[in-house]
Amino acid sequence: AARTGKAVLSFRLLDADLRPLANKGFVCRIERSGPTTRNTTEKDYTTNREGCAVTEHDPSEPDEGVVLRMYARSPNGGLRALVELPTLVTGRKELGDIVLSAARLLVSGRAVQAQGEPVSAGFVQVESLVDGNWSLATIIRELEPDGTFELYDDPPAGALRLRVRQSGHASSDY
């Protein structure tokens, strides 16, 4: 049966030295798997001055597993954390402190149009070759207004393909 209301997750983000990440922008990607579906959503958030944040999610479909991946930029690269939950339920859940650790730079670059102008509205995503088919990996980032991007994560196994998607246009593979 479908559930109504929101699943509200609250937590505090810390760096590897256990300092709160105050007023820090981060990306929260939630990967959900259910009996018949898989769903991934991503949204930008900002912590408060104590490093605390609250995210809201729609728990309308039953889950068999939920993975939250959080990414933040740092002066020396990227930070990330992974939190696994059995399911999302309506109401508030306190996750406590989440420590973000250093993430490896997978790829960085600048997306430009054929005329050399930056692709300012769009995103890049990594796809991996699995059993002869390209499938979306969990690595997606929005492009900066100047077309630059940085993807921090461990690479999926196998061959990789980078896909650039500009809002309102066809995609390009590299």
Side-chain angles (χ1 to χ4, degrees):
R3 293 174 268 181
T4 59
K6 294 285 183 183
V8 178
L9 305 175
S10 61
F11 48 88
R12 183 172 68 153
L13 293 183
L14 306 174
D15 66 14
D17 295 322
L18 304 180
R19 294 180 302 230
L21 292 171
N23 304 311
K24 182 76 173 170
F26 69 97
V27 174
C28 180
R29 179 181 308 121
I30 186 164
E31 302 163 8
R32 301 170 63 181
S33 57
T36 59
T37 61
R38 290 183 60 93
N39 184 353
T40 300
T41 57
E42 182 174 293
K43 189 172 177 184
D44 293 323
Y45 294 94
T46 302
T47 61
N48 67 16
R49 64 183 182 180
E50 289 85 31
C52 297
V54 175
T55 64
E56 290 187 353
H57 309 279
D58 178 10
S60 61
E61 296 296 324
D63 299 310
E64 291 180 349
V66 177
V67 176
L68 279 87
R69 296 179 188 269
M70 297 179 201
Y71 301 92
R73 289 190 179 167
S74 73
N76 300 322
L79 298 170
R80 69 170 176 188
L82 183 136
V83 177
E84 295 183 18
L85 302 171
T87 189
L88 285 178
V89 295
T90 301
R92 188 177 187 99
K93 180 167 182 66
E94 174 60 50
L95 299 180
D97 290 343
I98 298 174
V99 179
L100 278 73
S101 60
R104 290 186 350 197
L105 177 64
L106 177 60
V107 63
S108 66
R110 183 171 183 247
V112 296
Q113 299 173 13
Q115 305 83 0
E117 295 295 319
V119 177
S120 59
F123 61 93
V124 293
Q125 66 188 50
V126 173
E127 294 180 336
S128 60
L129 190 60
V130 178
D131 297 328
N133 296 311
W134 289 104
S135 65
L136 175 63
T138 59
I139 308 169
I140 303 170
R141 294 292 180 282
E142 287 189 22
L143 294 167
E144 295 296 324
D146 65 355
T148 60
F149 61 91
E150 295 176 336
L151 299 173
Y152 292 90
D153 211 334
D154 293 324
L160 302 178
R161 174 169 71 177
L162 183 67
R163 179 162 278 191
V164 178
R165 294 187 183 265
Q166 182 178 7
S167 298
H169 294 82
S171 63
S172 298
D173 302 323
Y174 300 96

